[in-house]
Amino acid sequence: MTRVGIYTHDFKFYHDIIKELKRWNLPFFSIPDLYSIPGDINVILSSEQDPFTLPGQIKAVTATEGIRRSLPVLLNKSQFTRVIIGIDPGPRPGIAVMSDNVLMEAWECPTICGVKDDVLDVVKNYSYRYIMIKIGNGDRPNRDIIIKQLKNIAPMVIVNEENTSTPHKIHDNALSAARISLIDDRYDTSRTPVKFSRKNIYDKEFITLHSLI
């Protein structure tokens, strides 16, 4: 198992990065000194304000930026080949990031106005050769607003989001966005696991970052 190393003199960054790593459910190790770096650490997160340079170090302004930039390294890559941002349009849009067919993250944006900033952060913070946006064809009024917001940020296609909201008892917009990110024609309902819960639906249906680390 690979862990994320943390070494920084920036107390706020240290606090933020630990909080975010726990939220992402990623294993990490707080390095007490540079003579005590475990062998399972191949990336070290530090603040952009830190004056030192280390092998395998990623300096970041924010915790989320640091984590996103570390993801390829955690999967033994220098960068992802293909990143797809899936979007489930609506008043509370779902957003998901699929990198080389592995689900990195998925969340619900509180308002439609926040979609552009969220997508821009993904475009800026991930490391990749190619990136594109897939947006579901539902909720046309909100979909058209989102498309207008995201114009010229990355190549974009509209896909058939039929069946991405099933089963209704567990549906959430982030889950639909993850499904949309994988659609070429329409969502294959055979992917939906027979037994699942709200807690494990992502790990049962997708290859997730957590399952590979």
Side-chain angles (χ1 to χ4, degrees), residues 7-171:
Y7 189 78
T8 180
H9 294 168
D10 185 330
F11 179 78
K12 183 180 185 304
F13 182 84
Y14 180 79
H15 175 271
D16 291 347
I17 197 68
I18 287 181
K19 181 180 178 180
E20 281 299 292
L21 285 166
K22 288 180 178 179
R23 187 176 70 83
W24 281 65
N25 199 23
L26 291 175
F28 63 89
F29 178 75
S30 181
I31 301 170
D33 60 71
L34 298 180
Y35 300 99
S36 306
I37 303 178
D40 63 346
I41 289 177
N42 56 7
V43 60
I44 298 173
L45 298 183
S46 302
S47 166
E48 191 180 59
Q49 303 301 317
D50 287 318
F52 48 82
T53 301
L54 305 170
Q57 181 186 45
I58 291 177
K59 290 186 177 183
V61 176
T62 68
T64 300
E65 175 196 350
I67 291 172
R68 285 171 168 167
R69 289 176 57 196
S70 74
L71 296 178
V73 183
L74 293 176
L75 297 177
N76 298 312
K77 301 182 179 188
S78 59
Q79 63 178 190
F80 294 116
T81 299
R82 179 181 170 94
V83 170
I84 299 176
I85 303 171
I87 299 177
D88 178 34
R92 296 174 62 90
I95 303 176
V97 181
M98 193 74 65
S99 301
D100 294 345
N101 294 317
V102 178
L103 180 61
M104 297 289 122
E105 52 180 320
W107 68 96
E108 187 176 86
C109 191
T111 68
I112 196 170
C113 297
V115 173
K116 182 177 181 179
D117 286 342
D118 281 4
V119 170
L120 279 173
D121 283 345
V122 169
V123 171
K124 292 176 182 177
N125 295 338
Y126 273 78
S127 179
Y128 50 82
R129 293 176 61 186
Y130 176 77
I131 191 167
M132 72 177 300
I133 299 167
K134 290 185 179 181
I135 183 168
N137 64 347
D139 195 341
R140 183 168 183 173
N142 283 311
R143 182 193 74 205
D144 289 347
I145 293 172
I146 293 172
I147 289 174
K148 185 176 181 180
Q149 287 180 346
L150 303 183
K151 185 179 180 181
N152 299 325
I153 291 178
M156 187 186 319
V157 295
I158 300 173
V159 300
N160 185 348
E161 66 173 54
E162 183 181 353
N163 297 323
T164 58
S165 298
T166 57
H168 294 291
K169 67 178 181 179
I170 202 171
H171 167 65

